[in-house]
Amino acid sequence: MGGKKTAKAAGKAPVEKRASAKKAAPVRKTAAVKKATVAPKKAAAPVKKASATKTVAAKSPRNESRTALVRRARRINRELAEVFPYAHPELDFENPFQLIVATVLSAQTTDLRVNQTTPALFATYPTPEDLAAANPEEVEEILRPTGFFRAKTKSVIGLSKALVENFGGEVPGRLEDLVTLPGVGRKTAFVVLGNAFGRPGVTVDTHFMRLVRRWQWTDETDPDKIEAAVTALFPKSDWTDLSHHVIWHGRRICHARKPACGACPITPLCPAYGEGETDPEKAKKLLKYEKGGFPGQRLNPPQAYLDAGGKAAPPLGATE
């Protein structure tokens, strides 16, 4: 009995030693992940999130169930709502006509450049009737800073004529009517519906497409199919705010070429963590707009944005 017990006890020692050795390596690895994902501005909460990063990423989201995908997607939206509670459309506008024109002009340029250009445009042509009757050469000169100004001039004048001729000079509040207007597709239509009429819609721009694919919400590349896939994950009431949250995150943190992973608040939920800069201090330098301490894109932003520390953009030609 004593010999057997001794042999049995002796047989346990290597097992315990190996188990101990196995535990040692992951501890060091987990500590490294924590260091890489600590957000620069918050100490306690981000550290907790960072510790979960490896757990979340260990199982590929490609294998997650539909229920798990819905839960993860909605949690990302909730997290971003806390980061960007002041998210809003970044085009300056006072009415649906100004918003639809500004959105058409925003193609192939920044919202900032559009916001710097439209004050002169709307001061000269405040209504669809005015812009419909405008001299194209004069409009081109105003729109020159936005790029592709000849094509954009043709679109906004054509858009204004269609509003006057088909809708009594009023911007329609239905998707099927909006997409009949020159230069207006589904993306522009949903911007107008969501922000001028309060009717939910998802705005699938380049930022939105990039992020939802990084998060593996969908593998689709066609904007319409992306829209269908993403709207199926959320209640309709969330669609407009979801668009703002995703687009703001894409512009400020999750950039196309070099995402600021080390400053990202949703690393535990992101299967693409590590594609960008993971060092917190280096990532902090990549942050844009108010997250990096710089002006935003609107000359006249909502008060909530200013209260949150955001800065208004300078007008065209102004020196900061």
Side-chain angles (χ1 to χ4, degrees):
M1 282 294 282
K4 288 182 181 179
K5 188 174 182 181
T6 304
K8 191 173 181 181
K12 281 185 178 180
V15 174
E16 290 173 353
K17 188 174 183 180
R18 284 195 299 272
S20 176
K22 284 181 181 178
K23 289 179 181 177
V27 170
R28 290 194 296 270
K29 191 172 183 181
T30 304
V33 172
K34 283 185 179 181
K35 183 178 179 181
T37 56
V38 173
K41 293 186 178 179
K42 294 181 181 180
V47 170
K48 289 182 180 179
K49 291 181 180 180
S51 64
T53 302
K54 183 173 176 56
T55 304
V56 173
K59 181 180 178 182
S60 172
R62 299 289 182 189
N63 300 323
E64 68 185 345
S65 67
R66 176 70 179 179
T67 299
L69 171 60
V70 170
R71 287 175 177 170
R72 183 168 63 88
R74 294 185 182 185
R75 184 178 170 192
I76 286 176
N77 187 40
R78 289 196 300 271
E79 294 285 341
L80 294 182
E82 293 184 9
V83 177
F84 305 111
Y86 45 77
H88 57 270
E90 294 195 88
L91 291 167
D92 283 324
F93 70 98
E94 296 178 357
N95 54 57
F97 173 62
Q98 290 187 0
L99 179 58
I100 196 169
V101 169
T103 306
V104 169
L105 296 178
S106 68
Q108 304 298 316
T109 191
T110 63
D111 287 355
L112 170 58
R113 185 48 56 94
V114 174
N115 292 335
Q116 291 173 327
T117 305
T118 50
L121 180 70
F122 295 137
T124 308
Y125 310 105
T127 68
E129 290 81 2
D130 295 323
L131 193 51
N135 181 330
E137 292 183 358
E138 294 177 0
V139 176
E140 285 178 3
E141 197 56 37
I142 295 174
L143 299 184
R144 187 179 294 272
T146 67
F148 303 96
F149 57 92
R150 291 191 179 90
K152 290 180 179 180
T153 295
K154 184 177 180 180
S155 291
V156 297
I157 290 180
L159 162 69
S160 300
K161 287 180 178 178
L163 289 175
V164 173
E165 295 170 3
N166 303 328
F167 300 102
E170 299 291 333
V171 176
R174 299 194 312 164
L175 176 65
E176 53 267 41
D177 292 332
L178 287 168
V179 296
T180 66
L181 300 170
V184 178
R186 289 179 69 86
K187 182 187 82 170
T188 298
F190 282 129
V191 170
V192 175
L193 288 173
N195 297 290
F197 293 99
R199 296 176 183 173
V202 165
T203 303
V204 183
D205 71 350
T206 55
H207 300 288
F208 194 95
M209 288 192 286
R210 179 178 75 252
L211 268 61
V212 299
R213 285 174 57 79
R214 274 182 179 166
W215 296 335
Q216 295 182 15
W217 290 1
T218 179
D219 290 326
E220 300 292 349
T221 56
D222 177 76
D224 291 349
K225 291 181 179 179
I226 289 175
E227 177 196 325
V230 173
T231 53
L233 301 175
F234 294 88
K236 193 171 183 179
S237 58
D238 288 351
W239 291 354
T240 299
D241 285 341
L242 169 69
S243 299
H244 293 322
H245 298 154
V246 176
I247 292 170
W248 275 57
H249 189 60
R251 285 176 171 171
R252 286 150 174 79
I253 298 175
C254 194
H255 312 135
R257 294 183 181 179
K258 201 167 186 180
C261 293
C264 179
I266 60 166
T267 53
L269 304 169
C270 181
Y273 170 75
E275 285 187 10
E277 180 57 66
T278 57
D279 180 84
E281 291 305 314
K282 292 180 180 178
K284 185 176 180 181
K285 295 177 182 178
L286 299 175
L287 300 179
K288 296 183 179 178
Y289 302 111
E290 76 286 347
K291 289 298 177 183
F294 306 111
Q297 300 202 73
R298 291 188 65 164
L299 276 66
N300 299 297
Q303 188 60 45
Y305 176 70
L306 298 175
D307 292 342
K311 301 178 182 178
L316 190 64
T319 56
E320 296 183 47

